Amino acid sequence: MAEFDDERIASPKQRRKAAGLDRFLTVAGLALAGASAFFPWYVFFNEDKFGINVAASDNSRELPDWPARNVFSVSPLAMVNKNEPDKKAPPIDPLTTATVSDLGKEREGRPILEDQPFPGKSSFRLLHVSNGRALIEDTSGMYVVRVGSILPDQSRLATIEQREGKWMIVTSKGETYQNN
């Protein structure tokens, strides 16, 4: 045990070295603590150096109260061929039945009806128009569409127009939907 106690006793040179290291660590710790306490105030008073720069913009969700403008360019999808004779649409059975279609079969001189549309009217509606895009809703959800987009009734959006203060969309099939 005597040998072990002798090893623990340090020389005066080692004690001075350890005391100097302790003073240095104490001063460094106090300086770090002071800087840590001061830094948030520095950031607070110099917000322009540390803040987030947001680009100024005039974006709004509301449409401006401008008068309606004339439409000068019309999408080719909205144009109707005047040279083509009017085809009368075949009668549509409004009831869903479990019958087999005779499409492709000629019966008693009646023509073959291959372009019969799906029964019933499309169930989507126009909700809002902004920045050349329209918000529409159907049973499966809401969609943002623009000219050329495919609509739920499998037509394409031809134009977005404002008539008599109300927004309307015109499809490639010539159907119009008005904002309520």
Side-chain angles (χ1 to χ4, degrees):
M1 275 266 195
E3 288 179 38
F4 188 77
D5 290 337
D6 290 339
E7 291 175 4
R8 288 184 167 191
I9 299 173
S11 67
K13 186 177 182 182
Q14 288 177 335
R15 283 186 198 152
R16 275 185 266 132
K17 199 175 190 182
L21 182 61
D22 284 344
R23 282 188 207 107
F24 173 75
L25 288 176
T26 302
V27 169
L30 290 172
L32 187 59
S36 298
F38 174 72
F39 185 70
W41 290 102
Y42 178 75
V43 170
F44 179 75
F45 288 118
N46 295 296
E47 188 177 340
D48 54 330
K49 292 180 185 177
F50 296 96
I52 298 172
N53 295 331
V54 179
S57 66
D58 228 357
N59 293 340
S60 70
R61 297 182 64 110
E62 299 299 321
L63 295 173
D65 293 329
W66 294 336
R69 293 183 279 174
N70 294 332
V71 177
F72 293 106
S73 63
V74 178
S75 170
L77 295 172
M79 294 183 188
V80 180
N81 188 356
K82 303 275 185 192
N83 299 331
E84 208 173 288
D86 288 339
K87 293 181 185 176
K88 186 171 181 181
I92 298 173
D93 183 9
L95 299 175
T96 304
T97 59
T99 58
V100 178
S101 169
D102 3 344
L103 290 178
K105 299 177 186 173
E106 235 179 272
R107 282 197 316 170
E108 302 170 13
R110 290 193 328 205
I112 299 173
L113 302 174
E114 301 228 2
D115 294 329
Q116 181 174 2
F118 187 76
K121 185 153 172 78
S122 173
S123 61
F124 74 91
R125 63 187 181 119
L126 175 63
L127 296 176
H128 186 71
V129 175
S130 179
N131 296 329
R133 294 192 172 121
L135 178 66
I136 61 172
E137 177 185 36
D138 70 349
T139 56
S140 63
M142 294 177 149
Y143 306 98
V144 176
V145 294
R146 60 181 179 187
V147 173
S149 297
I150 298 176
L151 300 173
D153 65 351
Q154 299 305 314
S155 64
R156 289 194 179 267
L157 179 59
T159 60
I160 300 174
E161 303 172 355
Q162 190 174 22
R163 297 181 188 166
E164 299 174 7
K166 293 199 176 199
W167 284 100
M168 301 181 78
I169 59 173
V170 180
T171 67
S172 60
K173 293 180 179 177
E175 296 176 2
T176 60
Y177 295 90
Q178 185 173 358
N179 189 3
N180 295 341

